Amino acid sequence: MFRLLQWLPLLLLLPPPGSPEPPGLAPLSAGAPPQAPDLLYADGLRAYAAGAWAPAVALLREALRSRAALGRARLDCGARCAAEPGAALPASPGPDSGPGAARGAWEPLLLRATLRRAECLTQCGARRLGPGGAARLRVGSALQDAFRRREPYNYLQRAYYQLKKLDLAAAAAHTFFVANPTHLQMREDMAKYRRMSGVRPQSFRDLETPPYWAAYDTGLELLGHQEAALALPWLEEALQESLAQVESCRAGCEGPEEQQKAEEEAEGTGSPGGLYEAIAGHWIGVLRCRQRCVGDTATRPGRSLPVPDFLPSQLRRLYEAHAQVGNLSQAVENVLSVLLFYPEDEAARKALDQYQAQLGEPRPGLGPREDIQRFVLRSLGEKRQLYYAVEHLGASFKDPDPWTPAAFIPEALREKLREDREKTPWDHEPPQPKPLTHWKDVLLLEGVTLTQDARQLNGSERAVLDGLLTPAECGVLLQLAKLARAGVVGSQGAQLLLEVSERVRSLTQAYFSPDRPLHLSFTHLVCRSAIEGEQAQRMDLSHPVHADNCVLDPDTGECWREPPAYTYRDYSGLLYLNDDFQGGHLFFTEPNALTVTAQVRPRCGRLVAFSSGVENPHGVWAVTRGRRCSLALWHTWAPEHGEQEWTEAKELLQEPEKEEGEGMPSRDPAPEPPSHRLQRVQDKAGKPPRVREEL
């Protein structure tokens, strides 16, 4: 009873059953100072564990709002106090000032301004956040990570579902899933919500993603449709909101959480020294945090890597769009802003010359955008201090920006950074042109026919090749799949598996990458069987639409080459072993994962080969009768990611034979008896060939 009374005030704040709730996070208790987010979140989880769904919703929502209010207060108070006359930091002493003058005049001004700024921030925080201000609402690192992963929405979606608020449950589920696209349970929950009759399509809205991403994506989409005039307002909004998000992030760098993080990092390293050493250490931490803010802003929810060159790339699109619609003055402003980041950028310089020639007479007042100029100058000033700390104080700093001028980097670090930047990662190198004579000669030599090329498959970097296996060889590999499930394999099947995988590799290299060696990265046998029950009208997939070396985002059409994807995979292949089943066709789609561009029917000896990136999203329809088996292979340009087990198995199979009668596979598809030698091979290798049985 006491617990119910404790939660009663929050229950009164919930909307009545069935009433619509506005999107976003409007304050529940207008005018009241926010409560501590960590305490609210902990109470919300306790209510959730007790099955008290309504109090859990109220507490979790209030925790989210409290954290948002804390961020807004820090941003507003920081801007207000920075403008206070008495809290302005003094300029550094001039070069003509002697040591005594500098210490006597400049140091007291600095410390006095610091005290005034601290007083202003304390008073502003108390007015906005209640007694204790921001210190009372400090959010620990564990809780910050939970909010960053949007874990409250995982609990909210279940609680809303229990309260029969399906629209809100779908919104919370979608919000969590956007930041956790590999969460399998939430993927299943999302599919269930989409099948529920009471859930509307507009319910799947993201309650957390900053608005600049929607503007950014809309602008890019309109540019792709050659609608520059319509794209310009969206692109400008995206840039302005991106800069605002950077400022919000920078305000958080001065919070107590960053100081706590710095103290945790300093544990075990001894005393930070005296007053000035401690001030310098804290200031270095703040500067490092500020420098990370552009990367944080450029990272989409659920991604681990930022959009490269986020701000300069937006400026490039802006000047190109302005030029297309005839706004040459604005085009010049934006191209000059790009040159602040990259003064030697040839494309920007060429565009600037072209726009200035079209404008005619010089316009003295035309210069870079003021907001970008302020951003660059401030960022360079912070970089200068950080590199000074690296050189003279032993601090660490990983510069997130490729545009930092070399003059700012200490000579000792410059050479190493230059080498790192000049190293082009193998997994970002574009494929080289493929002379046709190479693969035609190889196909003729192997007796293989090209059945469909990329044009016939309505895509790029994809092909269907027939004749890689005889029916007898298909039978041997099918038997190998059956025996491997029992943990026993014969040398005949294993030898054929190695030969066929090398055959596929050589053909894939000859067709797609004749001038650059490919290495087998992963090989396995996979069999998919039909489930029992009614098969009519089945539209489900045995393998959902995906790309093999990047995380596909169907909503934006982008594919993020980062873990958990196997980023080192460059080409993929499926070699089919049978066709005595129904369903199970491979299909390619557009990056939206919905528009099917081509389908391939399996048959013995048919290879479907394609590049592993976003240009080839693909899936597999469910098998509706029988059992489909295939050999799946992935290839890489990187030798360090070559399949070591394949090499070890090949070496073991080349050992002198002790048993007689084992050799090349015959045309008779009948299975061979289990081989004692292959049992020894299996023991040495540590595991049998990969085979997987799936529904």
Side-chain angles (χ1 to χ4, degrees), residues 442-522:
V442 175
L443 294 187
L444 183 63
L445 180 66
E446 295 283 351
V448 174
T449 58
L450 175 64
T451 305
Q452 290 178 289
D453 60 13
R455 180 182 57 81
Q456 294 167 312
L457 291 169
N458 302 314
S460 64
E461 297 267 75
R462 58 180 73 158
V464 176
L465 306 168
D466 279 319
L468 271 82
L469 295 172
T470 66
E473 290 172 330
C474 285
V476 172
L477 292 177
L478 286 170
Q479 187 65 21
L480 175 67
K482 184 183 298 184
L483 293 174
R485 294 185 63 198
V488 180
V489 297
S491 63
Q492 181 186 22
Q495 183 70 43
L496 179 60
L497 178 67
L498 296 178
E499 292 177 359
V500 168
S501 59
E502 172 57 25
R503 194 182 306 171
V504 171
R505 187 207 64 78
S506 63
L507 287 170
T508 304
Q509 176 179 311
Y511 189 86
F512 292 110
S513 184
D515 300 321
R516 191 173 184 188
L518 282 176
H519 308 270
L520 275 168
S521 174
F522 193 80

Side-chain angles (χ1 to χ4, degrees), residues 246-320:
V246 170
E247 294 304 312
S248 178
C249 172
R250 289 172 60 87
C253 291
E254 299 179 16
E257 293 85 4
E258 283 300 318
Q259 183 177 359
Q260 178 183 356
K261 190 183 301 182
E263 292 171 356
E264 292 173 355
E265 293 176 353
E267 283 185 3
T269 61
S271 171
L275 170 65
Y276 294 101
E277 290 90 341
I279 293 175
H282 185 52
W283 179 238
I284 291 168
V286 170
L287 292 178
R288 280 196 300 239
C289 176
R290 288 177 175 179
Q291 288 288 301
R292 291 194 301 265
C293 280
V294 173
D296 293 345
T297 301
T299 304
R300 288 182 184 272
R303 310 299 181 222
S304 59
L305 296 176
V307 174
D309 250 1
F310 189 52
L311 295 180
S313 66
Q314 292 188 62
L315 292 166
R316 288 190 179 95
R317 294 186 176 97
L318 275 168
Y319 78 66
E320 291 170 356

Side-chain angles (χ1 to χ4, degrees), residues 63 280 340 411 672:
L340 291 177
E411 187 65 35
E672 65 171 8

Side-chain angles (χ1 to χ4, degrees), residues 512-561:
F512 292 110
S513 184
D515 300 321
R516 191 173 184 188
L518 282 176
H519 308 270
L520 275 168
S521 174
F522 193 80
T523 310
H524 74 146
L525 281 170
V526 56
C527 295
R528 301 180 186 271
S529 301
I531 60 176
E532 298 180 359
E534 180 61 38
Q535 301 292 330
Q537 307 300 321
R538 280 188 66 186
M539 294 297 292
D540 56 311
L541 305 177
S542 69
H543 206 94
V545 176
H546 65 286
D548 285 340
N549 67 11
C550 53
V551 179
L552 182 65
D553 184 354
D555 293 333
T556 65
E558 295 190 67
C559 206
W560 299 85
R561 199 156 182 177

Side-chain angles (χ1 to χ4, degrees), residues 411-690:
E411 187 65 35
L413 298 176
R414 203 175 299 170
E415 186 61 31
K416 183 179 183 302
L417 291 176
R418 187 183 299 114
E419 291 176 359
D420 292 342
R421 289 177 181 176
E422 287 175 355
K423 287 179 183 176
T424 304
W426 52 264
D427 59 345
H428 291 295
E429 291 185 17
Q432 302 297 318
K434 299 94 184 172
L436 296 181
T437 54
H438 286 70
W439 62 264
K440 283 185 176 179
D441 293 342
V442 175
L443 294 187
L444 183 63
L445 180 66
E446 295 283 351
V448 174
T449 58
L450 175 64
T451 305
Q452 290 178 289
D453 60 13
R455 180 182 57 81
Q456 294 167 312
L457 291 169
N458 302 314
S460 64
E461 297 267 75
R462 58 180 73 158
V464 176
L465 306 168
D466 279 319
L468 271 82
L469 295 172
T470 66
E473 290 172 330
C474 285
V476 172
L477 292 177
L478 286 170
Q479 187 65 21
L480 175 67
K482 184 183 298 184
L483 293 174
R485 294 185 63 198
V488 180
V489 297
S491 63
Q492 181 186 22
Q495 183 70 43
L496 179 60
L497 178 67
L498 296 178
E499 292 177 359
V500 168
S501 59
E502 172 57 25
R503 194 182 306 171
V504 171
R505 187 207 64 78
S506 63
L507 287 170
T508 304
Q509 176 179 311
Y511 189 86
F512 292 110
S513 184
D515 300 321
R516 191 173 184 188
L518 282 176
H519 308 270
L520 275 168
S521 174
F522 193 80
T523 310
H524 74 146
L525 281 170
V526 56
C527 295
R528 301 180 186 271
S529 301
I531 60 176
E532 298 180 359
E534 180 61 38
Q535 301 292 330
Q537 307 300 321
R538 280 188 66 186
M539 294 297 292
D540 56 311
L541 305 177
S542 69
H543 206 94
V545 176
H546 65 286
D548 285 340
N549 67 11
C550 53
V551 179
L552 182 65
D553 184 354
D555 293 333
T556 65
E558 295 190 67
C559 206
W560 299 85
R561 199 156 182 177
E562 59 188 48
Y566 298 98
T567 58
Y568 48 83
R569 292 177 176 176
D570 295 296
Y571 287 96
S572 308
L574 280 172
L575 179 60
Y576 296 111
L577 306 182
N578 64 322
D579 55 13
D580 54 342
F581 55 88
Q582 291 182 0
H585 293 191
L586 175 79
F587 62 92
F588 294 98
T589 74
E590 297 286 355
N592 61 13
L594 297 174
T595 307
V596 176
T597 58
Q599 294 195 72
V600 180
R601 176 180 173 80
R603 59 179 293 185
C604 167
R606 171 167 286 177
L607 171 68
V608 186
F610 48 92
S611 56
S612 304
V614 65
E615 65 279 359
N616 282 313
H618 57 283
V620 180
W621 295 111
V623 177
T624 57
R625 183 181 67 81
R627 179 169 173 260
R628 189 203 74 165
C629 290
S630 62
L631 180 63
L633 309 101
W634 289 271
H635 306 91
T636 177
W637 282 320
E640 63 268 26
H641 287 286
E643 190 171 29
Q644 297 302 316
E645 293 92 337
W646 189 93
T647 304
E648 293 171 3
K650 184 178 178 180
E651 293 173 352
L652 289 168
L653 284 170
Q654 289 174 347
E655 291 180 358
E657 298 280 356
K658 292 186 178 179
E659 293 82 6
E660 296 181 358
E662 293 193 358
M664 296 298 292
S666 68
R667 292 295 180 181
D668 183 3
E672 65 171 8
S675 165
H676 298 291
R677 177 176 178 275
L678 254 292
Q679 184 65 50
R680 189 177 77 253
V681 169
Q682 176 186 323
D683 293 340
K684 287 185 179 181
K687 50 188 173 182
R690 301 182 185 91

